Amino acid sequence: MRLRALLENDALGLRLLGGEDELDRTVRGVMTTDLKDPSRYLSGGELVLTGLAWRADPSDAEPFVRILASAGVAALAAGEAELGDIPDDLVEACSRHRLPLFAVNESVAFATITEHVVRQVSGERAGDLAAVVDRHRRLMTSGPAGGGPEVVLDLLGSDLDLRAWVLSPTGRQIAGAGEPLEPGLAATLAGEHLAATRTGRRGPHRLSAAGATYSLFPIRNTGRGAAPASRDVRETVLSDWLLAVEADAGDWPAARLDLLQGVTQLIAVERDRRDAARTVRRRLAQEVLELVQTGAAPAEIAARLRVAAPVLLPGLGTAPHWQVVVARVEWEQEAGQSPAVDGGPVAQALLEEILVDPATVGAESADRIAVAHSGDEAIALVPLAAGPLPDSEDEGPATALGLHADALLAAVRAPLSAGLSDDGRLTLGVSAAVASAEGLRGALEEARHARRVAAARPGRVCAAGHHELASHVLLLPFVPDDVRRAFTARLLDPLRDYDRRHRAELIPTLEAFLDCDGSWTRCATRLHLHVNTLRYRVGRIEQLTGRDLARLEDKLDFFLALRMS
């Protein structure tokens, strides 16, 4: 299709700002990006859509446009939702590089433009996926007339004789046409995709397994409602879906590869819709978590839980039990690297997937899970139907009796380890089930301590449950205030006094040292200190308190004192 054809469709909301002489350029595809340098994702001929999140100041326009022009893109379309009018510096840069520039009205979603371009380009190339795009609107609905990604996958099979599946990063099947993938094979495909993504290899990735060849295509959020494009692959690698096709894409012509890329963009619309549907559950979890952490009255927490229960367990007649699951994703940071990735949102998206039974198929299977994040932690409130509390570790990952730490990670450990590679780590803690708001604070502390137990173990992916904890952790929230004050004063007051006099930051150093599980290297990196400086501070802590941070008992006392202070 030609660029001028885009202006003839009023529904696209495009306004030409420059490049009248270039409107006969051919559009071969469409891409949405807010990366400052999207060159590695460009092959030429694209209509590039951007929300302008990459633009921090006027000087950013020139290098961005130069990259697009060098890659041979057909045109740039900038959304007006972020800044209102399109900045003059961007208009001038496009004029210098003879790059046609469109403004996209804020009322028009990028997904609408993507749909139109994919329909036109696909029809001109082959026509064999015209039906896919014609049914795009059905893909976006959740009612009986919809069908989600299955609509696309069914037509891939009927029109192109391709068997395909949409998988989560853990290998769980989101959608598929025909027979489902064997779980072990799905986990293998997901692990290969994650490993290839971490090494920076451009998709599709190819893999021979179980006597067949599979091609793996990334599916990423690209719609108007999506978060800004990530500058670090670690921010999304553990949450992005993938499309697995039973075929060797290395033998395909460019037209068919482009066609499949268009299909992944359509499936990404379903991902956008799924993420939007999780907003209410995330907000409920965040509200309950804030009440618990700020010491709100049990009656106030119970009232909020009563609001959450019908959303998470529709039709449930009695109040459920609750469990708390705490997860943390941490990335090592070498000297000279960019700032570490914010682990809270990463762990939140990952925990939402982990808490789904791996055998469950579909994008809506997490509709009874509420996950919030606080700092680097993700915290899940998991409702359980009223019944006997869990007393066995033999149950599956999500049963009426509750969640069990080992079972949660059994099916996902291999693919997630590939995604974490050599610099990431996932640790997870699971509380016992509680039947009232009064027990929720204790459950949160219990899950956090269980995660710390997991963090002390070797391996990229580790979990611990409440059965592995001493009973005093569960009692911490109920220690009388006078006992708390006496215990914490004896251990922490000498350090606080020293910090006031010398600004030595011994208390923050102690917290970081315990949080890094006694790792000198990780703690020094987190505090931006030389290891020798860290050793001096820890030595001063031991001197002032008469304790030895190499002893487990003393570490535990300091940990409890900090938590109760």
Side-chain angles (χ1 to χ4, degrees):
M1 68 177 296
R2 306 287 182 180
L3 281 175
R4 64 176 67 256
L6 296 172
L7 291 173
E8 296 170 0
N9 189 331
D10 294 336
L12 298 183
L14 296 177
R15 182 164 47 89
L16 185 65
L17 300 182
E20 295 86 350
D21 298 336
E22 306 291 334
L23 292 181
D24 285 326
R25 291 187 181 186
T26 300
V27 179
R28 297 188 178 89
V30 61
M31 175 194 177
T32 300
T33 186
D34 275 311
L35 291 172
K36 279 191 171 183
D37 181 5
S39 57
R40 61 176 174 166
Y41 301 112
L42 298 171
S43 57
E46 296 93 349
L47 170 66
V48 174
L49 306 173
T50 180
L52 299 177
W54 51 266
R55 183 184 179 276
D57 58 64
S59 65
D60 291 333
E62 171 63 23
F64 180 77
V65 173
R66 184 171 61 250
I67 289 169
L68 299 188
S70 299
V73 305
L76 174 66
E80 295 179 323
E82 182 76 16
L83 301 177
D85 294 336
I86 305 304
D88 291 340
D89 50 87
L90 182 59
V91 177
E92 293 167 1
C94 288
S95 177
R96 283 193 297 272
H97 291 276
R98 300 180 62 83
L99 181 67
L101 174 64
F102 298 96
V104 183
N105 189 281
E106 63 180 351
S107 64
V108 178
F110 282 1
T112 300
I113 300 172
T114 298
E115 174 192 352
H116 177 79
V117 173
V118 171
R119 180 192 297 120
Q120 297 300 319
V121 172
S122 298
E124 291 172 1
R125 286 173 178 161
D128 54 0
L129 280 186
V132 174
V133 184
D134 288 339
R135 294 168 71 178
H136 180 208
R137 294 298 181 189
R138 292 183 61 190
L139 174 67
M140 299 176 65
T141 66
S142 58
E150 284 84 357
V151 172
V152 178
L153 302 185
D154 284 339
L155 289 169
L156 280 177
S158 62
D159 293 359
L160 298 182
D161 195 26
L162 291 175
R163 299 178 66 207
W165 303 264
V166 177
L167 303 178
S168 78
T170 66
R172 186 176 65 85
Q173 183 171 312
I174 304 295
E179 291 295 321
L181 280 176
E182 189 274 323
L185 174 58
T188 298
L189 297 179
E192 171 64 20
H193 172 74
L194 291 172
T197 301
R198 285 305 313 275
T199 58
R201 285 156 46 198
R202 188 172 182 176
H205 315 302
R206 289 176 291 157
L207 171 69
S208 294
T213 299
Y214 296 86
S215 297
L216 312 175
F217 295 80
I219 297 173
R220 296 188 176 92
N221 267 348
T222 56
R224 172 63 64 87
S230 169
R231 298 183 183 183
D232 191 321
V233 69
R234 294 176 298 177
E235 293 179 3
T236 59
V237 67
L238 298 178
S239 57
D240 283 341
W241 291 355
L242 66 136
L243 176 67
V245 180
E246 188 179 353
D248 188 347
D251 299 331
W252 287 0
R256 177 161 289 200
L257 280 173
D258 289 348
L259 227 148
L260 263 291
Q261 295 291 355
V263 168
T264 65
Q265 292 177 1
L266 298 187
I267 296 174
V269 175
E270 173 70 12
R271 174 65 189 272
D272 290 338
R273 189 186 66 78
R274 193 286 309 263
D275 284 349
R278 286 185 170 180
T279 302
V280 173
R281 296 189 293 277
R282 286 178 170 180
R283 188 187 312 120
L284 286 171
Q286 201 71 43
E287 291 174 357
V288 174
L289 175 62
E290 289 174 1
L291 290 174
V292 172
Q293 293 193 133
T294 56
E300 187 177 358
I301 300 173
R304 179 52 55 187
L305 288 176
R306 284 194 295 272
V307 172
V311 176
L312 301 177
L313 284 177
L316 188 66
T318 57
H321 299 299
W322 298 87
Q323 275 185 284
V324 177
V325 181
V326 173
R328 177 174 289 188
V329 175
E330 298 174 286
W331 305 98
E332 295 175 5
Q333 182 182 355
E334 301 294 336
Q337 274 190 341
S338 57
V341 174
D342 184 1
V346 175
Q348 181 182 41
L350 182 57
L351 190 53
E352 286 172 335
E353 175 61 33
I354 289 174
L355 290 174
V356 180
D357 187 336
T360 303
V361 175
E364 303 303 324
S365 53
D367 62 353
R368 295 185 177 185
I369 297 167
V371 184
H373 73 83
S374 176
D376 289 337
E377 287 182 335
I379 301 167
L381 300 174
V382 183
L384 308 170
L389 295 181
D391 58 4
S392 168
E393 290 290 339
D394 298 329
E395 300 295 332
T399 72
L401 295 180
L403 306 172
H404 300 289
D406 290 340
L408 278 175
L409 296 182
V412 302
R413 182 174 274 108
L416 291 183
S417 295
L420 292 163
S421 190
D422 295 328
D423 61 346
R425 194 153 192 259
L426 166 67
T427 51
L428 184 147
V430 181
S431 79
V434 296
S436 67
E438 287 85 350
L440 204 55
R441 185 179 174 191
L444 175 59
E445 290 295 326
E446 187 177 53
R448 280 177 164 159
H449 190 62
R451 192 208 63 80
R452 290 180 176 277
V453 171
R457 296 170 175 166
R460 290 289 168 192
V461 180
C462 298
H466 60 92
H467 293 283
E468 303 175 61
L469 304 181
S471 60
H472 63 267
V473 177
L474 192 60
L475 300 176
L476 274 181
F478 308 105
V479 175
D481 288 343
D482 56 342
V483 176
R484 286 173 177 263
R485 286 192 292 268
F487 182 75
T488 58
R490 185 166 62 252
L491 277 176
L492 301 183
D493 279 1
L495 306 182
R496 290 170 176 152
D497 291 342
Y498 191 87
D499 280 348
R500 278 194 295 269
R501 293 196 308 270
H502 303 283
R503 299 181 180 178
E505 297 187 353
L506 296 185
I507 292 289
T509 299
L510 176 61
E511 291 176 329
F513 187 73
L514 295 175
D515 198 43
C516 291
D517 305 307
S519 169
W520 296 97
T521 302
R522 280 198 291 140
C523 184
T525 299
R526 177 178 296 188
L527 296 175
H528 305 290
L529 297 175
H530 192 279
V531 172
N532 288 343
T533 303
L534 175 62
R535 291 187 184 278
Y536 172 81
R537 288 188 183 181
V538 170
R540 179 65 67 184
I541 291 170
E542 293 174 334
Q543 180 184 26
L544 291 170
T545 61
R547 300 298 187 104
D548 181 357
L549 278 168
R551 297 178 67 246
L552 177 61
E553 293 86 348
D554 289 340
K555 283 182 182 177
L556 180 59
D557 282 349
F558 278 122
F559 170 78
L560 296 176
L562 289 169
R563 287 298 174 269
M564 292 192 297
S565 64

